[in-house]
Amino acid sequence: MSIPQEVQTLVSQWAALQRCGDAAGCADLYSEDGVINSFTKPIKAEGRTEIEAMHRSWFDAGEVNQRIRIRDARVEGDLGYLLAEWRGDFPWNDRYYKPITGTVLSALNRRTDGLLQFRASNLTLGTFADAFLGLSK
């Protein structure tokens, strides 16, 4: 499957902002009324201010080495979607980092300047994280 270049560009921008811990920059990739539903606290962020705070809380938790792999994406006109796997390393026992994985499904829409932005994202834990955190019981 071919991933649309404009989706690749959006994801590359997000990944670069994640790597440098730029919470405001990550929030700017969302629409003004964007939404993130997450498995972490806060569970839901609505609007750029809350989305920025959510990203900051992830960075403050010590997450490093965030990666994303696009599994599927499509854009038609002003709307699109992204399905991807994510992985980040989180501090564990003051000395080690443990990988946490999951899936993100995002709705995309086009800004007035023609570029894509995130409208809504839903984050879930992957099977490794489920087992690691004891959530699969």
Side-chain angles (χ1 to χ4, degrees):
M1 141 154 253
S2 175
I3 303 300
Q5 182 58 47
E6 58 189 333
V7 175
Q8 288 277 17
T9 299
L10 179 63
V11 169
S12 294
Q13 290 172 327
W14 175 83
L17 293 164
Q18 285 276 344
R19 281 191 297 277
C20 66
D22 186 346
C26 290
D28 284 343
L29 295 178
Y30 279 81
S31 61
E32 288 284 340
D33 59 349
V35 176
I36 296 178
N37 293 298
S38 177
F39 59 90
T40 63
K41 290 186 179 183
I43 299 295
K44 186 173 189 174
E46 295 184 76
R48 286 188 183 151
T49 301
E50 289 183 15
I51 290 171
E52 179 179 347
M54 179 178 273
H55 276 85
R56 188 170 295 108
S57 73
W58 294 337
F59 300 146
D60 290 348
E63 179 187 16
V64 296
N65 206 19
Q66 175 73 258
R67 284 116 39 223
I68 190 163
R69 184 171 85 174
I70 299 173
R71 302 300 285 168
D72 193 14
R74 186 170 179 177
V75 176
E76 286 193 24
D78 290 339
L79 302 174
Y81 71 86
L82 163 70
L83 176 63
E85 296 171 350
W86 62 266
R87 179 181 173 133
D89 297 331
F90 289 82
W92 187 256
N93 290 338
D94 297 325
R95 293 184 290 171
Y96 304 102
Y97 280 87
K98 293 284 187 179
I100 304 294
T101 63
T103 303
V104 60
L105 176 62
S106 293
L108 311 172
N109 67 347
R110 203 168 295 284
R111 302 183 325 196
T112 56
D113 63 5
L115 297 176
L116 285 179
Q117 65 186 353
F118 296 105
R119 170 64 183 91
S121 294
N122 291 293
L123 304 168
T124 62
L125 287 173
T127 54
F128 174 83
D130 292 345
F132 177 70
L133 297 173
L135 301 176
S136 59
K137 295 179 182 180

